[in-house]
Amino acid sequence: VLVVLTIVVLLPILKGIYVSFCTYKLANLNNPIWNNFGNYVKLFKQGEIFTYFLNTFVFVGLTVAASFIIGLCIALLLNTKIVGRGVIRGLFLIPWTIPSVVTAIVWHWMLQQQYGVLNYIFYKLGLSSTINISWTQSSLLAMVSIIMASVWQQLPYMMVMILAALQTVDASLVEAAKIDGANPLKALTKIILPSIRTVLGTAIWISLLQNFQNFTIIWNMTGGGPVISTTTLSIAVNRKAFQEFDFGLGSAIGVLWIIVLFIATLLHNRISDRQVQDIQ
């Protein structure tokens, strides 16, 4: 197992770190030229790396937050005795089964400027003064569009995780709180959520990692545009390495990406350890 992990995981990471310090293009694929920190200096001098990180943090933060809030609301609803609960649960799982590229194409069609169904709905509801909303030509709306598509696809995952956790909460504690005069909001914040915080932390963390790597939806809906307004780290690496064929610069972005995720992982592990100690 260690040999396989070394070949499949460790060696590519080490190769990526090495070529991030090299001039590594099509002209010298077999002979990377060491340039010290040339790629990193170029990234920070151009300044676009800060935009890449900002776009990534905005996209990941809003996508995960929206998925969590909506997923929690749906899970709380499905945790009650409502008619057709099994059917509703099955319907909400459908987006999770659809490939990312199909999700991107469907949402791209729905948001199309001339015949997109969402433009028509917004216009009829009075939410827009025009029926021709150009989603992919506006920096703000382009970001909103990829967030909506990502939330739609990832919502079932968050819902299932939270619903499974809710079913482990001791119902007697909630009933006791209600008898003592706690309203539903207090019962949720003081009893239910603390009881499932370990599962919530895991679900949110996995969702964060998945969205940091999200490429397909963004690439197929906006291509990182307009200009670089929706260019996240995954899109930036693809552009530098496979469109501009500057593999060294693309690797440098990837290394910075790894460093950020490594620091975030350390913080997450420390917080998780403290939570386990508090429970014990």
Side-chain angles (χ1 to χ4, degrees):
V1 173
L2 290 176
V3 171
V4 172
L5 287 176
T6 300
I7 296 174
V8 176
V9 179
L10 184 59
L11 290 181
I13 291 177
L14 294 177
K15 176 68 179 295
I17 294 174
Y18 169 70
V19 299
S20 72
F21 293 95
C22 299
T23 299
Y24 189 43
K25 301 182 179 181
L26 283 178
N28 62 320
L29 278 178
N30 297 322
N31 185 30
I33 302 172
W34 184 265
N35 65 4
N36 294 321
F37 289 90
N39 292 323
Y40 296 95
V41 172
K42 184 177 180 180
L43 281 175
F44 286 102
K45 274 189 174 181
Q46 291 177 344
E48 290 183 352
I49 187 66
F50 301 108
T51 303
Y52 301 154
F53 272 103
L54 178 61
N55 290 340
T56 303
F57 290 143
V58 170
F59 170 74
V60 172
L62 293 180
T63 300
V64 174
S67 299
F68 172 73
I69 294 172
I70 301 173
L72 175 62
C73 294
I74 297 174
L76 289 171
L77 175 65
L78 294 179
N79 197 43
T80 60
K81 296 179 180 180
I82 60 174
V83 179
R85 180 172 59 175
V87 175
I88 297 174
R89 186 183 306 174
L91 291 175
F92 274 114
L93 286 175
I94 291 176
W96 202 13
T97 65
I98 299 176
S100 297
V101 65
V102 178
T103 298
I105 292 173
V106 170
W107 274 87
H108 188 70
W109 284 347
M110 291 195 300
L111 296 172
Q112 209 279 338
Q113 182 176 354
Q114 295 179 341
Y115 52 81
V117 65
L118 288 185
N119 283 354
Y120 177 79
I121 293 174
F122 290 156
Y123 178 75
K124 286 297 182 179
L125 292 176
L127 300 176
S128 172
S129 59
T130 176
I131 200 170
N132 294 320
I133 304 174
S134 182
W135 289 86
T136 57
Q137 301 303 316
S138 165
S139 299
L140 176 60
L141 293 180
M143 179 62 74
V144 171
S145 67
I146 60 175
I147 290 174
M148 288 194 300
S150 300
V151 169
W152 182 81
Q153 186 191 41
Q154 299 170 27
L155 180 61
Y157 160 77
M158 193 68 72
M159 179 202 71
V160 168
M161 292 290 289
I162 297 175
L163 180 59
L166 289 174
Q167 293 175 348
T168 65
V169 176
D170 190 350
S172 62
L173 293 176
V174 180
E175 292 297 328
K178 291 180 179 179
I179 293 173
D180 289 338
N183 57 40
L185 181 60
K186 282 194 173 182
L188 174 66
T189 56
K190 300 297 183 181
I191 297 177
I192 297 176
L193 292 183
S195 299
I196 62 174
R197 66 179 180 179
T198 303
V199 176
L200 293 181
T202 302
I204 292 173
W205 179 244
I206 293 175
S207 183
L208 285 170
L209 293 180
Q210 288 178 338
N211 281 288
F212 256 100
Q213 303 173 51
N214 197 317
F215 172 81
T216 306
I217 290 179
I218 303 173
W219 182 255
N220 284 279
M221 289 187 66
T222 66
V227 192
I228 59 171
S229 59
T230 59
T231 300
T232 58
L233 291 169
S234 60
I235 301 296
V237 170
N238 181 76
R239 279 184 172 177
K240 298 299 180 184
F242 302 110
Q243 289 187 330
E244 301 177 15
F245 300 106
D246 193 336
F247 303 107
L249 200 62
S251 297
I253 297 174
V255 170
L256 295 175
W257 187 357
I258 290 175
I259 292 173
V260 171
L261 288 180
F262 180 73
I263 295 173
T265 302
L266 291 179
L267 294 175
H268 172 261
N269 291 339
R270 176 164 294 186
I271 294 173
S272 298
D273 292 340
R274 287 183 180 179
Q275 288 180 346
V276 171
Q277 292 175 359
D278 292 341
I279 293 174
Q280 294 175 347

